Amino acid sequence: MVLGNSMILKKSDHMGGRWVQCKIQFNPARMVSTSAKLTKNRLKIAPCFLCEANRPALQKGILFMEKYIILCNPFPILGNHLTIPPLHSHVPQLIRNKVGDMLSLAEQLPDYVLFYNGPKCGASAPDHFHLQAGLKSPQLLQGDNVLRSCLMIESGNKSEVEELFEDVYQYLHHRQPKEDEPMMNIIAYIEQNRYKLNLFPRKAHRPRQYYENGSKQLLISPGGALDMAGMIICVREEDFKIGTHDIEDIYSQVSLPVI
Ligand SMILES: [Zn+2]
């Protein structure tokens, strides 16, 4: 069961009132992903569900670029929700030299957004690289707004997007030198023959409300790129009460301000 609801937030800034739209999705099937413990020992608990040997025999996929396999996501948030791991390699979730592949996938899937969740920013398999994709919706294409940071890269030239991404990566790595990879979520898509990449820098995975008890608790991660863009996932019915103040507060806790 998936129920949707839209909420309009109004924030004032120096330029006057600005409207920001967030969509709240009640999606109890995402409980496992939202409440997943961040542990490097994940594989001691269960075999990697993205490795070919552990995938269900019935789960077929489509080969892409001779190195990725496009699979259906068994716990969808978006229409036609796909998970895209490398076909054979069990390698860590690190995006640095794979942005070009992400854009190549976006070329082939013009009705979709491609998205990436960093290993500490919502990836449910941080030890096995994977991209995801799903059908576009207006909330997912939102760039920068007053709620959270978003670094937007756009060009008609794929190589230029990759070069600009590397510049941004270096800057963010400088801000978070102890991380294997700067904390981030990414949404990439094609619009009017131009490559668009929205990068959401993060300073935390989960907000204070996640760790509260009783009625104060909100089990909102936010899990990844979709939440950061504006589609917030609630896995418990009681969290569906989330209001404007909570949303503003949660974004302010997890988004990394940039100049
Ligand atoms: Zn694996």
Side-chain angles (χ1 to χ4, degrees):
M1 176 177 63
V2 177
L3 302 174
N5 187 24
S6 288
M7 181 179 300
I8 306 286
L9 305 180
K10 189 178 184 186
K11 281 276 286 181
S12 294
D13 59 22
H14 298 300
M15 302 299 289
R18 249 201 303 181
W19 292 88
V20 177
Q21 186 174 36
C22 289
K23 185 167 188 173
I24 316 298
Q25 184 186 95
F26 175 46
N27 191 337
R30 298 295 301 185
M31 175 63 91
V32 172
S33 175
T34 296
S35 60
K37 287 191 169 53
L38 293 172
T39 172
K40 291 192 172 180
N41 296 322
R42 181 177 76 91
L43 298 183
K44 291 181 181 174
I45 301 167
C48 175
F49 58 84
L50 291 179
C51 275
E52 188 175 11
N54 305 322
R55 294 201 304 264
L58 287 174
Q59 190 178 24
K60 305 299 182 191
I62 299 171
L63 193 62
F64 181 73
M65 292 175 71
E66 302 293 321
K67 59 179 174 178
Y68 292 99
I69 183 89
I70 300 176
L71 304 167
C72 290
N73 188 308
F75 304 106
I77 295 172
L78 303 178
N80 295 7
H81 194 146
L82 307 171
T83 304
I84 306 155
L87 181 59
H88 297 302
S89 310
H90 180 88
V91 294
Q93 182 79 333
L94 298 170
I95 189 65
R96 194 173 184 179
N97 295 310
K98 302 192 182 75
V99 165
D101 292 350
M102 193 176 187
L103 297 172
S104 296
L105 268 162
E107 277 172 15
Q108 298 297 317
L109 298 169
D111 296 329
Y112 289 65
V113 290
L114 271 290
F115 57 103
Y116 169 81
N117 296 329
K120 292 185 178 176
C121 300
S124 50
D127 39 22
H128 192 133
F129 182 77
H130 60 288
L131 299 168
Q132 296 181 69
L135 292 175
K136 286 176 177 171
S137 70
Q139 292 82 23
L140 303 177
L141 309 185
Q142 298 182 99
D144 191 34
N145 66 35
V146 292
L147 288 175
R148 76 285 180 277
S149 302
C150 176
L151 296 161
M152 302 166 68
I153 301 173
E154 177 183 339
S155 173
N157 182 318
K158 184 164 38 175
S159 299
E160 187 176 42
V161 175
E162 291 182 72
E163 288 167 18
L164 290 169
F165 173 80
E166 179 63 19
D167 291 344
V168 170
Y169 185 98
Q170 296 281 358
Y171 164 73
L172 294 174
H173 188 55
H174 174 72
R175 297 276 307 268
Q176 295 176 329
K178 293 181 179 173
E179 299 291 345
D180 292 339
E181 169 179 282
M183 295 176 72
M184 68 174 90
N185 302 105
I186 301 172
I187 286 185
Y189 59 98
I190 297 283
E191 192 172 67
Q192 296 177 334
N193 295 320
R194 293 179 68 79
Y195 299 93
K196 298 196 173 185
L197 190 147
N198 292 347
L199 190 157
F200 302 91
R202 304 274 295 259
K203 63 183 177 186
H205 178 212
R206 287 170 173 159
R208 179 186 68 256
Q209 287 89 335
Y210 185 91
Y211 301 101
E212 296 275 12
N213 294 311
S215 61
K216 284 186 174 178
Q217 188 187 40
L218 284 170
L219 214 56
I220 306 286
S221 244
L226 307 183
D227 304 76
M228 294 305 290
M231 183 178 283
I232 297 170
I233 309 304
C234 285
V235 294
R236 303 186 309 183
E237 196 168 356
E238 57 263 44
D239 297 330
F240 208 47
K241 65 181 184 294
I242 187 171
T244 304
H245 174 75
D246 289 317
I247 291 173
E248 290 177 3
D249 187 32
I250 286 171
Y251 276 129
S252 73
Q253 292 178 63
V254 302
S255 175
L256 178 73
V258 290
I259 298 170

